[in-house]
Amino acid sequence: MARSGIQYSDVQQAIDTLLARGDAPSVQRIREVLGTGSFTTISEHFRRWRIEREQNRDVPPPKGVPEVVVSVASELWLEAQNVANQALAHYREEANRQVETAQKQAAEAAQHAANAEQRENALAEHLRHTEQRLEAVNREFAASQAKENQWQLQAEKADRQTEGYRQQLAEAEQNLAVLKTHFADEQQKQQATWQERLAREEQRNEAAEGKLMALLDTLRQERAQEEKALQKRLQHWEQRANTLDKELQIKKAELQQQQLESSTQQQRIAELECDNAAREEQCAKLQGEIDKALLALTRQQQQTAQDDEWQQQLWQRMEDLQAQLTALPETLAPKAQESHESNK
């Protein structure tokens, strides 16, 4: 469709001007005369002018026009028509190429626009998923941080409890050491006392049998009471050690549960487990020392049994001495009579 800027009448006037100058009309020359206009518009008007010119070819020239002018005009017209046809073919090819190029560019632009729209939609969808994922990650991070704070509080509580157990264990070890020292001292003192008393009683055996037996009974009772008291103390500390061991086992289980729940607390729990293992080893050592004390007590009981056997032998010896003392007057009476008779 022709543009509204250049009219057909303008092109007609430009062609008449060219013909009056003796120039063959063409699209380029018409545009030079007009000074403006697109080649496509001028070409359409020029083609219309040629068609009308072909239709009016048989129309006789106006009267009064010389034949020479008519002949020259006809030749110029034919030449102009040929040139116009060549130029028109050239411009048509160029226009077709430009139109084809423009169509290709428009198709490419449409494809780019479609691709850009698809990319924009994909990016928008990806952004939406990313925002949703970011919100979920923020919620998970907040929950994880709350759990971490809770686990940190539990770990601090376990540290305080472990420190308390460590102090109790140290006190138990100190008490056990004091008890062992006291037991050893008492045992040595009692052993020395018993030996001293037995030595004195042996020296005064014939004169103080009743007193010796009472003393032996007193010693046995004192030893039995001391052994019972020692046994109770040992049982008490053994129960205390077992209680500490059970509590340590419970705390170890709690720490293991915390290890399963939080990977961030694994190192701390491992350290606590190492501490618990050390305390368990200390408890094992304490149990070993208690076992040694029990073994010493057993040996002491065996020694007591030997002392009882010795006392039984002493009783037998005392009974023999008593029998000898009882039989001594009867033995001395005949001898005294014989001596008295020999004196007479």
Side-chain angles (χ1 to χ4, degrees):
M1 181 176 180
R3 295 176 58 187
S4 59
I6 302 298
Q7 303 296 326
Y8 178 68
S9 58
D10 298 331
V11 175
Q12 280 184 327
Q13 291 177 4
I15 291 173
D16 292 339
T17 301
L18 290 171
L19 291 175
R21 290 189 313 192
D23 295 331
S26 63
V27 176
Q28 181 65 31
R29 289 177 180 177
I30 293 171
R31 190 176 187 282
E32 290 176 356
V33 172
L34 294 175
T36 185
S38 65
F39 289 100
T40 302
T41 303
I42 296 172
S43 176
E44 291 178 356
H45 292 322
F46 186 44
R47 184 170 63 254
R48 177 182 174 187
W49 180 83
R50 286 201 311 270
I51 292 173
E52 291 179 354
R53 185 65 179 174
E54 289 292 332
Q55 292 176 352
N56 297 327
R57 180 184 293 273
D58 296 334
V59 177
K63 293 181 180 181
V65 179
E67 294 183 357
V68 177
V69 174
V70 173
S71 176
V72 171
S74 298
E75 291 178 355
L76 289 174
W77 168 249
L78 291 175
E79 183 179 357
Q81 188 176 10
N82 292 330
V83 172
N85 289 333
Q86 292 177 0
L88 182 61
H90 173 71
Y91 287 123
R92 281 181 178 176
E93 291 177 358
E94 184 66 24
N96 290 333
R97 285 194 299 271
Q98 291 179 359
V99 170
E100 185 177 359
T101 302
Q103 290 177 349
K104 290 181 180 179
Q105 292 177 353
E108 291 177 356
Q111 184 65 33
H112 288 316
N115 294 335
E117 186 176 0
Q118 291 178 357
R119 288 195 299 272
E120 183 180 2
N121 294 333
L123 289 174
E125 185 67 18
H126 179 68
L127 180 60
R128 185 175 64 83
H129 286 296
T130 303
E131 290 176 351
Q132 293 177 354
R133 179 59 181 166
L134 181 59
E135 292 178 358
V137 169
N138 289 332
R139 289 193 298 270
E140 292 177 359
F141 177 75
S144 177
Q145 192 171 11
K147 288 184 179 179
E148 183 179 358
N149 293 332
Q150 183 179 2
W151 292 332
Q152 184 67 28
L153 292 175
Q154 292 178 358
E156 292 176 357
K157 182 178 179 181
D159 287 338
R160 291 193 296 270
Q161 292 177 352
T162 303
E163 183 64 24
Y165 295 147
R166 187 181 295 111
Q167 293 177 359
Q168 292 178 2
L169 183 60
E171 292 176 358
E173 291 177 348
Q174 186 177 1
N175 293 331
L176 180 62
V178 173
L179 182 62
K180 288 172 63 178
T181 303
H182 179 69
F183 177 76
D185 294 339
E186 290 294 329
Q187 188 177 13
Q188 290 178 358
K189 289 179 181 179
Q190 290 178 0
Q191 188 70 27
T193 303
W194 293 336
Q195 290 178 357
E196 183 179 356
R197 288 179 181 180
L198 288 174
R200 288 198 302 268
E201 291 300 328
E202 285 180 354
Q203 293 175 359
R204 296 177 303 183
N205 185 32
E206 295 180 356
E209 292 180 2
K211 186 177 180 180
L212 178 60
M213 295 306 301
L215 181 59
L216 290 175
D217 291 337
T218 302
L219 290 175
R220 280 199 299 268
Q221 291 176 1
E222 290 178 356
R223 179 179 293 180
Q225 291 176 357
E226 290 176 357
E227 288 176 354
K228 289 181 180 180
L230 179 60
Q231 185 67 26
K232 288 182 180 180
R233 287 195 295 270
L234 291 176
Q235 289 177 355
H236 172 72
W237 289 114
E238 185 177 5
Q239 291 175 357
R240 183 59 180 167
N242 292 331
T243 302
L244 290 176
D245 185 68
K246 290 180 180 179
E247 291 177 354
L248 290 175
Q249 292 296 330
I250 293 172
K251 292 303 176 182
K252 183 178 180 181
E254 291 177 355
L255 292 176
Q256 289 177 351
Q257 182 65 25
Q258 291 179 2
Q259 184 180 14
L260 294 175
E261 294 176 353
S262 171
S263 58
T264 57
Q265 296 294 329
Q266 289 181 355
Q267 184 176 1
R268 180 60 184 166
I269 293 174
E271 294 176 357
L272 291 176
E273 287 180 350
C274 291
D275 293 339
N276 289 333
R279 286 189 290 276
E280 288 177 357
E281 184 178 0
Q282 292 176 356
C283 288
K285 291 181 179 179
L286 181 60
Q287 186 64 37
E289 293 177 356
I290 292 174
D291 293 336
K292 291 180 180 179
L294 291 175
L295 181 59
L297 180 60
T298 303
R299 291 177 178 175
Q300 185 66 33
Q301 291 176 351
Q302 293 177 355
Q303 183 66 33
T304 302
Q306 292 178 359
D307 292 340
D308 292 337
E309 184 178 358
W310 176 81
Q311 290 176 4
Q312 187 65 28
Q313 293 176 359
L314 183 60
W315 272 104
Q316 185 65 36
R317 182 180 176 184
M318 291 174 65
E319 290 177 356
D320 294 337
L321 291 174
Q322 184 66 32
Q324 291 177 5
L325 289 173
T326 303
L328 183 60
E330 297 177 356
T331 305
L332 293 175
K335 292 182 177 180
Q337 187 176 3
E338 293 176 356
S339 176
H340 180 66
E341 290 178 355
S342 61
N343 290 329
K344 286 181 176 180

